Amino acid sequence: MRTSRPSPAARESATRAFDVVRQRALDRAPWLLLLSLAVHAVVLVVAPPDPFDLRVYWEASPQVRSGRLYDFRAASSGLPFTYPPFAAVVFLPLSYVPWPVAVVGWHLLSLAALAVVVGCAGRLLPGRAGARRGLGRDRVMLWVAGALWLEPVRHTLDLGQVNLILAALVLWGLAAAKEAGAVGAAVGVAAGVKLTPAVGGAYLLLTRQWRAALAACVVFVGTLALGWSVAPRESERYWSSLVVEPERVGLVTSVRNQSLRGAVGRALGHDVGFDAPWLLAALAVTVLAGYAGWVAVRRADLLGALVAVQLAGLLLVPISWSHHWVWCVPAMIWLLYGPGPRALRLTALAAWALATAGRVVPQLNHVEAVLPPGAPAPGLLAVAGWVYAVCALLTLVAIAAAGRDRTAGTSRAARHRPRTAAAALGADRP
């Protein structure tokens, strides 16, 4: 039996209806943002979270001067400090303010960082970078209102994590900083606080921002030197051994770990380390991400290139807790507004929306919590535990497929956009 397709008139009517809804949402963007923030505030009052990661920053940072930074365990959670010594130096001012002030201030700073992430991601979209137009105020407000309820964002806010702040710093440098030194400094400082943002250096090389890449290296080395000067014994201890011990921060095969190593380990019933199963999967991801990034750069699609690099970094590191995946927000922005086959982009966008707004990982974590300690994940949990990895792979495929879409450029001028980041952003980066 043949499946009937919607008539052109029906499709046109649906398109008009969607345009009307979209315009009404844009017209009411400030009110929708206020509503989202108000509901968020009510949730915080009714069910206040325990920001125990922020408490680690607050309690552990003074230990950087005592030489016991990595012997520290938070009194409330027993968690250790897991970042480089430079991070403890950065967090040290937190320890001088009362705990309630630190909680409120950090939360507000993270909310502001979310707005920066959305706004700067929009400025890197193809066709918008050179003109510096971005998404526009109303779209930014709508995205912030919606992104506030995505699981990686909410988990970051609930834990008092630093992820949104670091993502905002990196995106500000890449999208708004005018000098190569400032671009590199943003990436270098972020990497000095928490190593995962160091993958931003690969983006600078991919987009041929040589001076910015050099500046990032210099600034990152400067963070190492500062940490070493303040805490030489702790720095030697961290960089010689602790940095390569992911088990210190948690169970690698936990469903909260959405990295490739975690997903493969759950599928095979044990942590695969860096053995053949992980190597083969990592090679495939590296090739796919490299091709996707190359395609994006050729199209002057700076956001696509950045998303490809960041998602590859989250997949390839040993541990990517679900709250590390705040880069899903720039990924979803690219999937909605970027070039390439529309059906593929919307499929990946829907996958992200269902996985993050549906809080799939926390639900899986509840299932995992009732298993005996050390027990292998059952089949359904092992398969579903790939959720963020699958979303990331779909996004990488969508970015790569943009190179085959002849309609994505929309015009002759679009097909001949400059191919380097410096050219796409204008002549303001020497």
Side-chain angles (χ1 to χ4, degrees):
M1 183 175 63
R2 297 179 60 184
T3 302
S4 61
R5 295 182 178 181
S7 65
R11 290 197 297 269
E12 183 179 353
S13 177
T15 301
R16 284 200 302 268
F18 174 78
D19 289 340
V20 169
V21 171
R22 179 180 60 182
Q23 189 56 51
R24 287 181 177 176
L26 288 172
D27 292 342
R28 295 163 176 78
W31 296 107
L32 292 173
L33 176 59
L34 285 174
L35 176 62
S36 181
L37 290 171
V39 175
H40 174 66
V42 170
V43 171
L44 291 179
V45 172
V46 173
D50 179 13
F52 50 77
D53 279 345
L54 177 61
R55 184 170 286 277
V56 171
Y57 308 157
W58 187 72
E59 292 181 359
S61 55
Q63 303 298 323
V64 72
R65 297 173 299 182
S66 69
R68 298 188 299 272
L69 180 63
Y70 297 112
D71 297 317
F72 166 84
R73 293 293 185 276
S76 58
S77 63
L79 292 174
F81 189 81
T82 59
Y83 299 165
F86 174 73
V89 176
V90 172
F91 295 143
L92 191 57
L94 282 173
S95 65
Y96 292 101
V97 299
W99 172 242
V101 175
V103 171
V104 174
W106 192 264
H107 197 87
L108 293 176
L109 181 60
S110 295
L111 289 175
L114 177 59
V116 173
V117 166
V118 172
C120 289
R123 297 178 74 171
L124 292 177
L125 280 165
R128 299 171 190 261
R132 294 300 182 94
R133 291 188 291 116
L135 293 174
R137 184 190 64 179
D138 292 339
R139 284 186 174 85
V140 169
M141 286 190 288
L142 285 179
W143 272 99
V144 172
L148 187 58
W149 301 97
L150 303 180
E151 189 271 335
V153 174
R154 292 212 60 76
H155 202 193
T156 289
L157 293 171
D158 289 346
L159 296 180
Q161 258 284 345
V162 73
N163 304 308
L164 283 169
I165 296 170
L166 294 183
L169 177 60
V170 170
L171 274 162
W172 172 84
L174 299 179
K178 295 184 177 181
E179 302 293 336
V183 177
V187 174
V189 169
V193 173
K194 191 173 183 177
L195 292 179
T196 48
V199 72
Y203 168 83
L204 296 176
L205 296 176
L206 182 65
T207 53
R208 306 176 197 173
Q209 299 185 69
W210 312 122
R211 293 184 181 181
L214 178 60
C217 291
V218 170
V219 170
F220 177 67
V221 171
T223 68
L224 301 185
L226 178 58
W228 211 288
S229 66
V230 174
R233 188 178 72 86
E234 296 298 89
S235 293
E236 188 277 334
R237 184 180 173 190
Y238 180 84
W239 293 108
S240 64
S241 61
L242 298 181
V243 70
V244 293
E245 296 179 6
E247 297 82 1
R248 184 172 179 267
V249 301
L251 186 64
V252 174
T253 55
S254 166
V255 74
R256 284 284 188 185
N257 177 22
Q258 288 289 307
S259 72
L260 201 61
R261 179 169 162 182
V264 173
R266 285 188 296 274
L268 297 181
H270 62 90
D271 180 18
V272 297
F274 298 107
D275 293 340
W278 180 87
L279 288 174
L280 291 174
L283 177 61
V285 166
T286 301
V287 171
L288 175 59
Y291 178 71
W294 176 77
V295 165
V297 170
R298 282 182 59 84
R299 301 187 66 88
D301 179 4
L302 302 182
L303 183 59
L306 179 60
V307 167
V309 168
Q310 292 291 341
L311 292 183
L314 288 168
L315 288 169
L316 294 175
V317 296
I319 286 184
S320 291
W321 301 126
S322 63
H323 56 76
H324 292 171
W325 289 80
V326 294
W327 284 94
C328 72
V329 177
M332 293 170 74
I333 290 173
W334 183 91
L335 289 167
L336 185 60
Y337 302 111
R342 182 179 177 85
L344 184 55
R345 287 189 290 108
L346 294 184
T347 298
L349 178 61
W352 276 118
L354 290 172
T356 57
R359 298 181 61 82
V360 172
V361 173
Q363 300 303 321
L364 295 175
N365 190 57
H366 293 324
V367 176
E368 185 180 68
V370 302
L371 297 176
L380 181 59
L381 181 61
V383 173
W386 279 77
V387 57
Y388 284 1
V390 168
C391 291
L393 292 172
L394 285 174
T395 305
L396 291 175
V397 170
I399 297 172
R404 294 181 173 273
D405 183 18
R406 299 302 181 186
T407 65
T410 68
S411 70
R412 179 180 178 86
R415 290 193 296 271
H416 292 279
R417 292 186 186 113
R419 293 185 178 182
T420 67
L425 290 170
D428 54 356
R429 290 188 183 175

